[in-house]
Amino acid sequence: MAARLSLKDVNLRFGGISVLHDVSFDVEPGAIFGLVGPNGAGKTSLFNCISGHYRPSSGSITIDGDEVIGLAPSKLARRGLARTFQHPALQLKASVLENVLLGGHTRLPGGPLSWSVRLPATGRAEKSLRSEARGLLERAGLDWAADVPADELSHGLHKGIELCRALLLKPALLLLDEPAAGLSHAEVEHFIETVRRLRAEDDMTVVIVEHHMGLISALTDRVVVLDHGRTLLEGTAAQAQSDPRVIEAYLGKDAADDAA
């Protein structure tokens, strides 16, 4: 079931440097929500706070009403949170299928001991996950590469593999960190269609950090624009693209004056 994400007055500091300032917003279940802003705006830092890689200095982050600040990424994964990264962290010598299967480890029964001794329940679960992983690769158009080592494929295909790996968790909340970075125009269009199809077929909430405004416009219901760690605007992608404050943050004051 799709999750509801809420942030209230989230602050993040590293020593004397303030990275995020009182960031607040709500993402409704089933929505596709965008986080946009210029380089250094705090987008990935905010993602790291949501996914448990950073602990905010203050504030609240809840998923379906439950406070999650302080939970490790592994515990958040068991609660249905999955994410991708700007640079896919794949096992390059392993096959595409093996890389995708890494996303299902939290769904295996027992723990490392039962996995190592290959209990029957573990074997059945692994067989089921393998079938699901192949199904995800087929949905993403990557089934032909299931047994190919990841290092033989392009950066764009690595992004697709990482997405399939995240989806094997069956997430209620999926965080996508710059999924279009380094992709060709055709690959971006394919990614947009893939996420649209996922939204139609799967019950999940999606939050995207992205610079590619064409992708943000095509996919998101609402966006938050960050600038120097502060919320500059919350609204639709169209509102963000036409707002002089956003234009100034991206392009400078002269461009904002021309737009006005």
Side-chain angles (χ1 to χ4, degrees):
M1 181 179 294
R4 186 177 196 273
L5 173 68
S6 295
L7 281 72
K8 183 173 177 56
D9 298 331
V10 172
N11 291 273
L12 178 66
R13 299 180 187 86
F14 294 116
I17 300 173
S18 187
V19 179
L20 297 170
H21 312 264
D22 293 331
V23 177
S24 300
F25 58 81
D26 297 313
V27 184
E28 296 301 321
I32 300 180
F33 193 88
L35 286 174
V36 299
N39 288 329
K43 304 182 300 297
T44 294
S45 292
L46 185 58
F47 250 32
N48 287 336
C49 289
I50 297 169
S51 61
H53 292 86
Y54 291 168
R55 182 173 184 136
S57 306
S58 61
S60 173
I61 300 174
T62 63
I63 297 176
D64 289 334
D66 295 328
E67 182 63 59
V68 297
I69 288 179
L71 294 184
S74 59
K75 290 188 177 180
L76 285 166
R78 290 184 175 88
R79 295 175 66 97
L81 186 151
R83 73 167 288 182
T84 65
F85 294 84
Q86 292 180 26
H87 306 289
L90 302 182
Q91 300 295 317
L92 294 178
K93 297 302 181 183
S95 72
V96 167
L97 180 61
E98 289 167 335
N99 272 283
V100 174
L101 285 169
L102 291 173
H105 70 281
T106 61
R107 295 177 55 196
L108 290 174
L113 179 59
S114 61
W115 302 341
S116 64
V117 299
R118 305 288 300 171
L119 294 176
T122 302
R124 289 192 296 271
E126 286 180 344
K127 183 177 180 179
S128 177
L129 284 173
R130 187 172 292 269
S131 177
E132 286 185 41
R134 288 190 178 275
L136 287 169
L137 288 170
E138 183 175 1
R139 290 171 67 187
L142 287 169
D143 49 314
W144 59 271
D147 299 315
V148 176
D151 64 357
E152 296 184 13
L153 302 178
S154 69
H155 172 76
L157 295 180
H158 286 179
K159 291 273 189 173
I161 297 165
E162 190 185 39
L163 176 60
C164 290
R165 183 172 64 189
L167 292 172
L168 191 62
L169 182 65
K170 289 189 175 295
L173 175 61
L174 175 63
L175 309 181
L176 302 175
D177 193 353
E178 297 197 21
L183 301 190
S184 67
H185 177 74
E187 288 170 333
V188 170
E189 291 299 315
H190 177 72
F191 179 84
I192 289 171
E193 290 305 315
T194 298
V195 175
R196 282 175 173 164
R197 187 170 65 252
L198 290 170
R199 181 182 193 178
E201 296 173 357
D202 297 344
D203 190 15
M204 72 176 76
T205 304
V206 182
V207 183
I208 305 175
V209 161
E210 187 52 72
H211 286 287
H212 194 295
M213 289 306 294
L215 182 148
I216 288 293
S217 296
L219 285 177
T220 58
D221 304 301
R222 294 186 67 77
V223 302
V224 157
V225 182
L226 295 178
D227 184 34
H228 293 91
R230 299 181 186 275
T231 301
L232 189 61
L233 176 144
E234 180 173 356
T236 66
Q239 289 171 328
Q241 288 176 290
S242 62
D243 190 286
R245 296 170 299 167
V246 178
I247 296 170
E248 180 179 348
Y250 271 103
L251 301 176
K253 190 175 188 308
D254 290 342
D257 290 341
D258 291 342

